[in-house]
Amino acid sequence: MYEFIEKLVDEMKDKIIGYRRDFHKYPEFAWTEFRTASLIAKVLIDNGYKIKIGKEVINDKYRMNIPSKEELDKSYKRAINQGAYEDICKLMRGGYTAVVGILENGDGPSISLRFDMDGVRIKESEDYSHIPFKNSFSSNNDGIMHACGHDGHIAIGLGVAEVIVKMKKYFKGTIKLIFQPAEEGVSGARAISESNLLDGVDYIISGHIGIKARKSGEIICGTDGFLATSKINAEFKGKSSHAGVAPEKGHNALLSAATAVLNLDAIPRNGEGDTRINVGKLIAGSGRNVIPGRAFMEIETRGETTELNRYMENYAERILMASAEMHDTHVNIKCVGKSISASSDDELVKLIKNVANNIKEYTIIREKDSFGASEDVCYMMNKVQANGGKASYIMFGSNLKAEHHSPMFDFNEKDMLCAVKLYSELILKIAADRDV
């Protein structure tokens, strides 16, 4: 069977690479993945999958950082103009851009694979050494780019979708292929995990190109060390005034924000484990002779555990409020993204390792490594594990051309084929019909 799968995948090479390049050319940011999701849904439908879409798999109470209606409408129209299937897009109006393909194939384990879909708000490089630009599949959507490999993840997912349909007679069980919006900013997975989609799931597996696996032929079969995180927006509101004539009549929002920046970075670290904080954006002021009446900040906290992140988040909120009070301003604090920590199950990691040993392209096989960043798939992993199931997160090695979230980010497209083989063979390993 392994030879059969390898043959199938190798024959699909051009199709899988074609998927990746198409999605790379038309990236969409969180909750606006209309074109992306509609094309995914069409491929799944054409391959005989039952489809759940939009509100069917999203608990609206847990959606975070939703774009404005104007931005959603603009993105929707752009998607239609760029070849989205409008009959499918209509089911996602308002930014409900999740798609799940379900293959029910008799009594057996329920296995979910999760693939993220969204791009990053980065302007892609126009350097001729950048292969997507050189080969004319770089981003058509200015200021948005697939700079983290999600275009590759989608292509892998669609490759797996086609392979396992052709494997149906060899396994029994239910396969759920989850294509998740809004992973960047960790604002999408919880809304799916809080629906009933994962009820009864025995295994959930996901993965990422690169991160700690930086060589083609390398695979890390399980991941721990996901940092819990909170994404916080803080808006200080004060009172503008003439900086020369009446400075005492103003309430300086920029001064509150500056006080907060300095003190946020001084939060005491915690002896229980690693913590992080970063102020990534600060916008304030209108002119040199005006006391700034408004200031806006984007902040993130991280912790080695969910509890450590909570420590950082609570401390940060106290600093923000105290900084506002110190300079007689008001602060509005909003959490726009959140994730928790998670661990891969050793039993499943060993199974993945056994499968990887059968794939000739994998020459460096490692059981586990620490992620060192945040991923909202942790909500899905925790949900399945809490119900008695198993979870693992794989890092698929590739020769990266630049760092993740860089304008020059790119990877070796052939490594997608290895991932399709790995997922497909893993499904067979878990759910093989012993009577065949």
Side-chain angles (χ1 to χ4, degrees):
M1 272 304 298
Y2 294 124
E3 292 79 9
F4 172 67
I5 292 171
E6 288 191 17
K7 183 174 181 293
L8 283 177
V9 175
D10 290 341
E11 289 172 351
M12 291 174 58
K13 173 185 173 182
D14 291 342
K15 180 183 279 191
I16 292 168
I17 291 174
Y19 284 144
R20 183 260 167 154
R21 294 189 175 193
D22 178 78
F23 291 117
H24 189 92
K25 195 170 184 177
Y26 301 102
E28 298 165 299
F29 56 82
W31 302 118
T32 72
E33 306 95 330
F34 297 108
R35 181 186 186 276
T36 303
S38 78
L39 268 63
I40 291 168
K42 182 65 165 60
V43 172
L44 294 172
I45 291 167
D46 289 348
N47 279 277
Y49 285 79
K50 176 184 174 182
I51 296 297
K52 287 181 176 278
I53 204 162
K55 292 183 179 181
E56 291 183 289
V57 292
I58 290 175
N59 185 331
D60 205 20
K61 178 181 176 182
Y62 295 96
R63 275 204 309 165
M64 303 184 78
N65 204 24
I66 305 162
S68 66
K69 183 180 183 304
E70 292 74 21
E71 201 164 23
L72 287 168
D73 289 344
K74 180 181 177 182
S75 298
Y76 184 93
K77 291 174 183 175
R78 181 187 64 200
I80 302 302
N81 290 334
Q82 292 179 341
Y85 293 98
E86 189 166 8
D87 57 332
I88 298 174
C89 283
K90 286 178 180 177
L91 303 173
M92 301 182 284
R93 291 296 303 241
Y96 296 91
T97 46
V99 180
V100 179
I102 302 173
L103 183 65
E104 295 174 334
N105 194 37
D107 292 332
S110 177
I111 305 168
S112 290
L113 304 182
R114 174 276 206 167
F115 308 94
D116 39 21
M117 303 188 295
D118 53 330
V120 184
R121 292 182 187 262
I122 292 174
K123 181 174 176 58
E124 186 159 9
S125 172
E126 295 181 353
D127 191 304
Y128 199 68
S129 66
H130 181 54
I131 291 174
F133 181 74
K134 179 181 178 181
N135 291 344
S136 302
F137 65 94
S138 58
S139 176
N140 271 14
N141 296 333
D142 190 48
I144 313 171
M145 176 191 172
H146 273 298
C148 203
H150 295 190
D151 50 337
H153 301 166
I154 300 164
I156 291 165
L158 294 181
V160 172
E162 295 191 37
V163 170
I164 61 176
V165 164
K166 295 172 182 175
M167 291 165 39
K168 283 179 66 174
K169 67 179 180 180
Y170 299 108
F171 75 90
K172 297 292 185 183
T174 298
I175 310 300
K176 295 181 180 180
L177 303 179
I178 303 169
F179 292 86
Q180 180 210 313
E183 188 282 324
E184 300 292 350
V186 292
S187 57
R190 190 178 183 190
I192 296 174
S193 68
E194 295 288 352
S195 72
N196 62 3
L197 180 69
L198 297 175
D199 292 353
V201 169
D202 299 299
Y203 299 89
I204 184 160
I205 305 146
S206 189
H208 206 297
I209 293 169
I211 305 293
K212 294 290 186 69
R214 296 302 186 98
K215 297 178 181 177
S216 295
E218 181 179 11
I219 185 170
I220 300 169
C221 303
T223 306
D224 293 334
F226 292 98
L227 299 181
T229 186
S230 299
K231 314 302 183 185
I232 302 165
N233 288 353
E235 184 177 14
F236 290 91
K237 297 180 181 178
K239 182 179 179 182
S240 296
S241 182
H242 194 293
V245 174
E248 77 284 359
K249 293 181 180 179
H251 303 298
N252 195 321
L254 174 54
L255 195 55
S256 286
T259 300
V261 169
L262 293 174
N263 284 279
L264 287 168
D265 206 48
I267 292 176
R269 298 309 180 243
N270 194 302
E272 296 298 318
D274 290 341
T275 57
R276 306 275 193 278
I277 190 161
N278 185 55
V279 180
K281 187 174 185 178
L282 173 57
I283 301 173
S286 57
R288 72 180 71 250
N289 61 346
V290 181
I291 301 294
R294 287 179 179 265
F296 175 78
M297 300 168 62
E298 292 186 1
I299 307 156
E300 68 169 21
T301 63
R302 298 184 196 250
E304 188 176 342
T305 65
T306 303
E307 292 72 22
L308 284 166
N309 181 63
R310 189 177 299 118
Y311 160 79
M312 294 297 289
E313 182 180 1
N314 291 342
Y315 212 128
E317 288 185 1
R318 292 201 305 274
I319 286 171
L320 291 167
M321 290 185 288
S323 298
E325 184 178 0
M326 183 180 294
H327 301 291
D328 201 13
T329 64
H330 172 75
V331 64
N332 180 41
I333 303 168
K334 184 177 182 181
C335 186
V336 297
K338 205 173 191 64
S339 189
I340 55 180
S341 58
S343 296
S344 297
D345 288 290
D346 289 340
E347 178 184 330
L348 183 53
V349 170
K350 292 183 186 303
L351 185 60
I352 294 167
K353 182 181 179 181
N354 289 338
V355 172
N357 278 319
N358 289 323
I359 299 172
K360 63 180 182 296
E361 289 90 350
Y362 287 127
T363 56
I364 305 170
I365 301 172
R366 295 197 279 143
E367 281 198 8
K368 275 191 178 184
D369 203 342
S370 174
F371 197 64
S374 305
E375 237 279 19
D376 64 353
V377 73
C378 294
Y379 283 113
M380 298 189 191
M381 294 172 69
N382 276 264
K383 177 72 173 286
V384 171
Q385 289 168 326
N387 291 334
K390 304 293 184 185
S392 190
Y393 190 91
I394 304 164
M395 288 184 269
F396 297 101
S398 193
N399 296 325
L400 303 185
K401 308 301 182 183
E403 289 297 317
H404 295 277
H405 294 198
S406 158
M408 291 282 287
F409 179 83
D410 193 22
F411 58 86
N412 183 350
E413 291 175 321
K414 291 181 181 179
D415 295 320
M416 296 187 297
L417 307 182
C418 303
V420 175
K421 292 175 186 178
L422 187 284
Y423 279 132
S424 302
E425 295 185 8
L426 182 60
I427 288 170
L428 190 66
K429 191 80 170 178
I430 293 170
D433 184 352
R434 304 303 176 188
D435 296 329
V436 173

